[in-house]
């Protein structure tokens, strides 16, 4: 396993490319246009610099990692030589099915096709390909270079060989793989998203403000980050998409996304990536932490209706 193709250079894709490149793999990073790829590379460079400052890597390791990454806007060229493809495109079923159909046409019989999806059925994705046994979920956590967990999701047809290969690959990256079955949201988001949704509902119903909710969960439950800040970090659009998958997948109203979350996404307040969500962020800042805080209830456009 040497050549890795990563599809999508957004929040997760650039982190996955960063991690593989740092561990010596050749990475083909694919996205829809040059601008997003450039932004992805800028983020990777800034995050490698952060690792140098922390003393985790050397300047030489940073340069080697950057040399290992090549960018492509054409899926066919980017995926043609892949031993493993990791799809980290937008959390949308049609987008993923379309991508896997194309990948199935361009990749060799032995290429493993993995999805970093947070919630969409690996079995459904696999069913659109020629070799469903080669399809698996490889769910990294955000930020990828830092977080240890990789949720490994076996689809209905995933072979033992593919499962074993992905588990040992995750270990090669110094990650800790955990195997789970293919049901909506798997484990991570099946548990996390209802908590985030409940935090948004608590805000929507005026039970407490943004900072109060996050402070209760940080100081009371020893969470390193409150649920609303975490939602900003994940992307509110991603949270909404996952909740919709849980809601339709289980047919249970307990997963219905809070109308405030729906409104915020419609208004373009998607969290850190847009500069505002439950908190506001310094424009262009690569800092993963909140720059200046505001209370959502002060925002006329987003505040709960009286
Ligand atoms: N954000 C998180 O914390 C997080 C954590 C774990 C998993 N995920 C999952 O990772 C995936 C990516 O999420 P993200 O947060 O990085 O999203 P994002 O919006 O930051 O990035 C998605 C990228 O995919 C690109 N893209 C869309 N369609 C494409 C196509 N046809 N070909 C190539 N590129 C395409 C977009 O241009 C964009 O750059 C989703 O499935 C999401 O559920 C997200």
């Amino acid at each position: 396993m040497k050549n890795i193709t990563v599809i999508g250079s957004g929040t997760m894709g650039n982190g996955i490319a960063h991690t593989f490149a740092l561990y010596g793999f050749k990475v083909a990073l694919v996205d829809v246009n040059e601008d997003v790829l450039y932004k992805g590379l800028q983020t990777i460079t800034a995050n490698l610099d952060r690792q140098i400052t922390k003393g985790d890597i050397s300047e030489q390791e940073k340069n080697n990692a950057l040399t290992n990454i090549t960018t492509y806007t054409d899926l066919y060229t980017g995926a043609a030589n892949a031993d493993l493809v990791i799809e980290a495109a937008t959390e949308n079923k049609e987008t993923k099915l379309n991508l896997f159909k194309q990948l199935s046409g361009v990749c060799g019989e032995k290429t493993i096709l993995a999805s970093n999806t947070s919630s969409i059925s690996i079995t459904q994705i696999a069913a659109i390909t020629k070799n469903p046994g080669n399809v698996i979920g490889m769910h990294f956590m955000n930020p990828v270079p830092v977080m240890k967990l990789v949720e490994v999701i076996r689809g209905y047809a995933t072979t033992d060989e593919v499962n074993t290969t992905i588990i040992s690959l995750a270990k090669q990256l110094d990650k800790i793989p955990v195997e789970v079955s293919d049901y909506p949201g798997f484990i991570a988001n099946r548990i996390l998203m209802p908590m985030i949704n409940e935090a948004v509902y608590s805000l929507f119903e005026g039970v407490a403000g943004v900072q109060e909710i996050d402070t209760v969960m940080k100081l009371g439950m020893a969470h390193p980050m409150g649920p609303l800040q975490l939602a900003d970090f994940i992307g509110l659009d991603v949270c909404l998409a996952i909740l919709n998958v849980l809601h339709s997948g289980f047919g249970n109203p307990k997963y219905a996304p809070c109308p405030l979350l729906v409104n915020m996404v419609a208004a373009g307040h998607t969290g850190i990536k847009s500069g505002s969500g439950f908190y506001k962020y310094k424009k262009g800042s690569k800092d993963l932490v909140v720059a200046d805080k505001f209370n959502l209830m002060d925002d006329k456009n987003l505040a709960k209706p009286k």
Side-chain angles (χ1 to χ4, degrees), residues 247-274:
H247 191 205
S248 64
F250 289 115
N252 188 330
K254 77 176 176 181
Y255 299 111
C258 176
L260 175 60
L261 180 67
V262 176
N263 255 358
M264 289 178 73
V265 173
H269 293 256
T270 53
I272 288 180
K273 64 183 155 191
S274 73

Side-chain angles (χ1 to χ4, degrees), residues 6-14 16 30-33 36-37 72-73 75 87-92 95-96 98-99 102 115-120 138-144 189 230 233-235 237-239 241-242 273:
V6 178
I7 301 176
S9 63
T11 312
M12 294 305 288
N14 73 60
I16 296 167
V30 182
D31 209 312
V32 291
N33 63 49
V36 279
L37 284 166
Y72 297 87
T73 51
L75 180 71
E87 171 276 315
T90 314
E91 184 76 348
N92 174 291
T95 303
K96 294 196 191 285
N98 193 15
L99 278 167
Q102 292 180 66
S115 177
N116 185 56
T117 179
S118 303
S119 58
I120 296 168
M138 193 174 191
H139 184 209
F140 289 87
M141 303 292 133
N142 182 15
V144 183
N189 283 300
L230 180 57
F233 188 64
I234 293 168
D237 51 339
V238 176
C239 294
I242 298 169
K273 64 183 155 191

Side-chain angles (χ1 to χ4, degrees), residues 49-63:
D49 283 336
R50 185 175 279 123
Q51 286 178 299
I52 293 177
T53 309
K54 284 199 302 184
D56 291 345
I57 62 167
S58 66
E59 189 74 36
Q60 185 60 50
E61 284 172 304
K62 169 193 160 185
N63 293 338

Side-chain angles (χ1 to χ4, degrees), residues 232 236-237 264-271 274 276-278 294 299 301-302:
D232 277 359
L236 302 197
D237 51 339
M264 289 178 73
V265 173
H269 293 256
T270 53
S274 73
S276 81
F278 294 106
F294 83 126
D299 188 315
N301 296 317
L302 295 173

Side-chain angles (χ1 to χ4, degrees), residues 287-302:
D287 288 345
L288 300 178
V289 292
V290 175
D292 66 293
K293 298 179 178 179
F294 83 126
N295 193 317
L296 184 70
M297 289 311 189
D298 298 333
D299 188 315
K300 286 192 198 67
N301 296 317
L302 295 173

Side-chain angles (χ1 to χ4, degrees), residues 26-194:
K26 294 284 173 209
V27 177
L29 183 59
V30 182
D31 209 312
V32 291
N33 63 49
E34 296 288 355
D35 284 352
V36 279
L37 284 166
Y38 178 71
K39 223 173 133 197
L41 277 181
Q42 276 187 314
T43 305
I44 293 171
T45 308
N47 287 336
L48 286 165
D49 283 336
R50 185 175 279 123
Q51 286 178 299
I52 293 177
T53 309
K54 284 199 302 184
D56 291 345
I57 62 167
S58 66
E59 189 74 36
Q60 185 60 50
E61 284 172 304
K62 169 193 160 185
N63 293 338
N64 291 347
L66 289 174
T67 313
N68 281 338
I69 303 174
T70 313
T71 58
Y72 297 87
T73 51
D74 178 47
L75 180 71
Y76 287 83
T77 329
N81 296 320
D83 300 311
L84 166 69
V85 178
I86 303 179
E87 171 276 315
T90 314
E91 184 76 348
N92 174 291
K93 192 158 92 181
E94 294 320 309
T95 303
K96 294 196 191 285
L97 291 181
N98 193 15
L99 278 167
F100 275 79
K101 198 171 181 180
Q102 292 180 66
L103 287 168
S104 182
V106 68
C107 293
E109 261 187 31
K110 291 201 165 161
T111 307
I112 297 179
L113 302 181
S115 177
N116 185 56
T117 179
S118 303
S119 58
I120 296 168
S121 163
I122 299 300
T123 304
Q124 272 189 47
I125 291 174
I128 203 142
T129 68
K130 287 183 199 152
N131 294 310
N134 286 1
V135 179
I136 192 161
M138 193 174 191
H139 184 209
F140 289 87
M141 303 292 133
N142 182 15
V144 183
V146 175
M147 299 292 277
K148 284 282 174 204
L149 178 69
V150 177
E151 223 180 2
V152 176
I153 304 110
R154 280 188 84 139
Y156 194 84
T158 311
T159 64
D160 288 343
E161 194 189 342
V162 166
N163 193 47
T164 311
T165 306
I166 292 301
I167 284 172
S168 80
L169 184 65
K171 288 180 183 162
Q172 248 182 283
L173 300 171
D174 290 326
K175 304 288 185 203
I176 301 186
V178 173
E179 286 180 75
V180 307
S181 297
D182 184 24
Y183 289 96
F186 320 125
I187 287 296
N189 283 300
R190 182 174 178 163
I191 296 171
L192 175 64
M193 285 305 151

